Amino acid sequence: MDEKKLIGLLGLSVRARQATFGQDGCLKAIRTGKAAVVLVDEDASPATREKYEDACRHNDVPLVMLPEGSIQQASGRPGVAMAIAPGGLAQQICTLSGIDAGKSK
């Protein structure tokens, strides 16, 4: 995975208003089909990871674990998770992360 390109795509997603932040917002996006991929920092607590893993598995949304601090670096916002809306940016993020883009909604 090319971290520099991935962080660039995450930044584009934020500027294009395709990203959702916060636990409530991300989980709502996952459950309502408005998330094509969810990204979680490695520094997230085990309980937080499990919550996102369960929600993503149940709703068939790909989950990508990112190196610590990647989300804050890309978005300028503190946080451990972000959901990306369906579209070209989400497909590029999936492809760059090595995930089958066809699996994302």
Side-chain angles (χ1 to χ4, degrees), residues 13-92:
S13 298
V14 172
R15 288 189 294 279
R17 300 184 187 264
Q18 297 294 306
T20 302
F21 295 93
Q23 184 170 330
D24 292 337
C26 287
L27 291 173
K28 182 178 179 183
I30 293 167
R31 292 177 183 136
T32 59
K34 294 181 181 176
V37 62
V38 174
L39 304 125
V40 178
D41 262 359
E42 288 180 348
D43 62 342
S45 71
T48 300
R49 282 188 200 185
E50 184 177 349
K51 189 175 291 186
Y52 285 112
E53 288 171 354
D54 289 345
C56 287
R57 188 177 321 109
H58 181 71
N59 293 284
D60 197 30
V61 176
L63 178 84
V64 177
M65 294 303 294
L66 298 175
E68 185 175 331
S70 295
I71 291 176
Q72 184 169 0
Q73 182 181 355
S75 67
R77 299 179 186 191
V80 296
M82 67 189 286
I84 307 296
L89 288 170
Q91 287 182 328
Q92 289 180 33

